[in-house]
Amino acid sequence: MTLTPAPPVTATLHRQFTGDVHIPGDDGYDRERHSWHTVIDPRPELVAEAADARDVAVAVRAAREHALPFAVQATGHGTYLPADGGLLLKTGRMADVVVDPESRTARVGPGARWADVVTAAASYGLAPISGTLSVGVTGYTLGGGAGFLSRTFGYAADSVVSADLVTADGRPLTVSGEEYPDLYWAIRGGGGNFGVVTALELLLFDVPRVLAGMLYYPAEHAADILALYSEWAVDVSDELNTGIMIARMPDAPQVPDPIRGRGVIGIRVFCPAEARGARKALNRLLDAAGTPLTGGLTESTFGEASAALAGAAHPPMAVEQRFDLFRELPGEVIGAVVDTVDTPVAGVEIRHWGGAIAHPGAHAGPAGHRDVPFSISCAAMLGGPDDAAAIDALDGLTDRLRTYATGGSFLNFLNDPARTAAAFTPENYRRLSEVKRTWDPENVFRVNLNIPPAADERHASAGGQ
């Protein structure tokens, strides 16, 4: 058996790093190098599993000392670029969650998943702005974080009280509205471009019970329901968080009989249980939609509802996803979406934004295009003999939709690094690039949906003379 020689950086890490370090040929290397998205096959020079914040700082400094690309990964749900030839830092072991019920906050380690936070907060009747429970808290929050209750309380990024992080030069800092406010602003939606987070302090919300669920209708009714929904959503209460799903359901035993193997349109609902006015508005939509094939709404705890709507955690998979924002849903957009039912597109989700997202505080971070009310995401599952047909169908749908889209995107849903700027308003993108120039002028944190540092105006002026 031939052993792969250890790269020089491992000697540096072994002197100071507490966690495990894996190089090609080690038992843990292949297990730890992969992301959730199996469309990439990363080959880092080494993988380092951080045990604490000190390990994070050591890893950043070691990567710089040895001129290695540097990447960070917790669960890997937001990883779209391979850390080839670099140092891949894993933070999954740093998963502590501590809830302070008096301040209604949670201190969360960078490796925690939303299930950890939801469980810890539940005994106090509190809830975070979370989405799918198996997704990592930090990447989701730094990318904006549009959750089940975002129309009611805002983005997850808006709930960040403070953050401990390691900067590009290996310094540990705590950032907040009072300490390093430019960096605090940038991380609340700007992704992992500005530092490696070692802890987040997040606001929790008083949500003892919710009304939530999914109702399924025949796909033949999809055009009518979508037209109704696009008008109904314009002025509904911020307490209502809804979305629409269109897909052909699998012909599988776990799928309920009424929708098994059938094209359907689903209405997803999530709102605080005590929101009586919201229930009245919701009833107007559901009464007009008619009798569902199956499904319904249930009062439950936030955690129970989150688990029910998210379903079982998906294993790593190959998914091609597209995402766009829309100011309205004209008939041409509705027609394009309805036509996907009998194509290889796996599913389409229309999500209603606005509410608290659209009117944040004066010092909100750069996350998203807050004034846009609708998004459409669509996906194709890859890894089989029909991949080409699936991509063609996805491309065809995207071409039809983007004629009517705003051109904007949202970082959490963006899998094309070339479109990173589309996730921000032009003003916020310029400001982000200036913050990047201050805190990471050499673009150490670049193996991500990258925001390059703004050009140094002094050097640019000198070069033009």
Side-chain angles (χ1 to χ4, degrees):
M1 179 173 129
T2 303
L3 295 176
T4 303
V9 67
T10 58
T12 301
L13 289 182
H14 282 152
R15 288 195 300 270
Q16 306 174 57
F17 197 82
T18 306
D20 293 336
V21 177
H22 310 285
I23 62 173
D26 289 354
D27 290 341
Y29 177 79
D30 281 330
R31 180 186 70 244
E32 296 298 335
R33 69 183 177 88
H34 289 292
S35 80
W36 186 86
H37 294 278
T38 60
V39 290
I40 62 174
D41 184 25
R43 301 282 174 174
E45 187 159 323
L46 74 163
V47 182
E49 296 186 78
D52 52 30
R54 180 179 174 278
D55 273 357
V56 172
V58 167
V60 171
R61 290 194 292 266
R64 295 199 64 172
E65 178 184 342
H66 294 274
L68 292 178
F70 179 83
V72 185
Q73 186 176 299
T75 65
H77 283 79
T79 301
Y80 296 102
L81 287 174
D84 291 342
L87 191 163
L88 175 59
L89 179 70
K90 302 293 291 287
T91 60
R93 293 186 179 185
M94 300 170 63
D96 290 345
V97 176
V98 178
V99 171
D100 181 347
E102 295 299 319
S103 63
R104 294 184 179 178
T105 59
R107 182 175 173 82
V108 182
R113 299 172 187 257
W114 278 119
D116 303 321
V117 182
V118 169
T119 299
S123 59
Y124 304 104
L126 300 174
I129 302 175
S130 58
T132 304
L133 296 181
S134 59
V135 169
V137 173
T138 300
Y140 170 98
T141 302
L142 298 185
F148 288 127
L149 287 172
S150 279
R151 274 185 46 81
T152 310
F153 299 117
Y155 290 135
D158 297 334
S159 75
V160 175
V161 177
S162 67
D164 294 347
L165 54 80
V166 173
T167 60
D169 58 2
R171 277 188 295 158
L173 296 178
T174 297
V175 303
S176 67
E178 291 74 39
E179 299 178 278
Y180 309 103
D182 60 335
L183 199 51
Y184 171 67
W185 175 83
I187 67 168
R188 290 178 295 140
N193 282 282
F194 304 94
V196 184
V197 166
T198 58
L200 287 174
E201 183 184 2
L202 303 174
L203 288 174
L204 301 173
F205 298 87
D206 187 10
V207 188
R209 305 282 289 178
V210 297
L211 177 71
M214 178 82 82
L215 302 98
Y216 295 94
Y217 303 83
E220 294 79 10
H221 298 176
D224 291 339
I225 290 176
L226 283 172
L228 172 70
Y229 182 76
S230 66
E231 296 178 0
W232 170 88
V234 170
D235 58 0
V236 297
S237 164
D238 294 1
E239 293 165 313
L240 273 171
N241 297 262
T242 60
I244 300 282
M245 181 272 290
I246 295 176
R248 180 163 295 281
M249 302 301 288
D251 187 4
Q254 65 268 28
V255 178
D257 286 339
I259 59 174
R260 185 178 301 163
R262 182 170 183 172
V264 299
I265 176 168
I267 301 177
R268 185 185 68 241
V269 176
F270 209 109
C271 74
E274 72 277 6
R276 302 302 172 186
R279 288 193 183 208
K280 290 181 180 179
L282 180 61
N283 287 338
R284 293 200 302 271
L285 173 67
L286 300 184
D287 289 347
T291 304
L293 294 169
T294 189
L297 304 180
T298 304
E299 256 196 51
S300 65
T301 67
F302 177 86
E304 290 166 343
S306 299
L309 283 176
H314 294 293
M317 57 180 61
V319 182
E320 184 75 16
Q321 178 175 294
R322 310 290 168 77
F323 177 92
D324 286 288
L325 295 168
F326 297 80
R327 296 201 177 277
E328 56 186 5
L329 302 175
E332 293 85 355
V333 168
I334 290 173
V337 169
V338 171
D339 288 347
T340 64
V341 172
D342 293 314
T343 73
V345 173
V348 178
E349 182 198 47
I350 298 177
R351 184 177 295 201
H352 183 212
W353 299 59
I357 293 169
H359 44 79
H363 303 291
H369 298 267
R370 292 177 179 268
D371 62 333
V372 181
F374 298 107
S375 69
I376 299 180
S377 57
C378 46
M381 311 304 296
L382 306 181
D386 300 323
D387 283 0
I391 292 295
D392 285 347
L394 200 60
D395 286 341
L397 173 60
T398 302
D399 288 343
R400 292 177 67 181
L401 292 176
R402 284 196 173 158
T403 301
Y404 304 93
T406 66
S409 190
F410 191 73
L411 208 65
N412 286 144
F413 295 108
L414 190 63
N415 63 0
D416 180 1
R419 294 191 66 219
T420 299
F424 308 98
T425 66
E427 179 184 357
N428 280 345
Y429 188 75
R430 284 193 297 271
R431 184 177 171 188
L432 284 166
S433 67
E434 290 165 359
V435 175
K436 179 77 167 182
R437 179 177 61 198
T438 299
W439 289 99
D440 185 12
E442 297 175 19
N443 207 7
V444 172
F445 303 129
R446 64 183 180 275
V447 187
N448 51 27
L449 297 172
N450 190 232
I451 300 170
D456 189 314
E457 295 177 2
R458 293 168 303 173
H459 293 168
S461 297
Q465 290 177 349

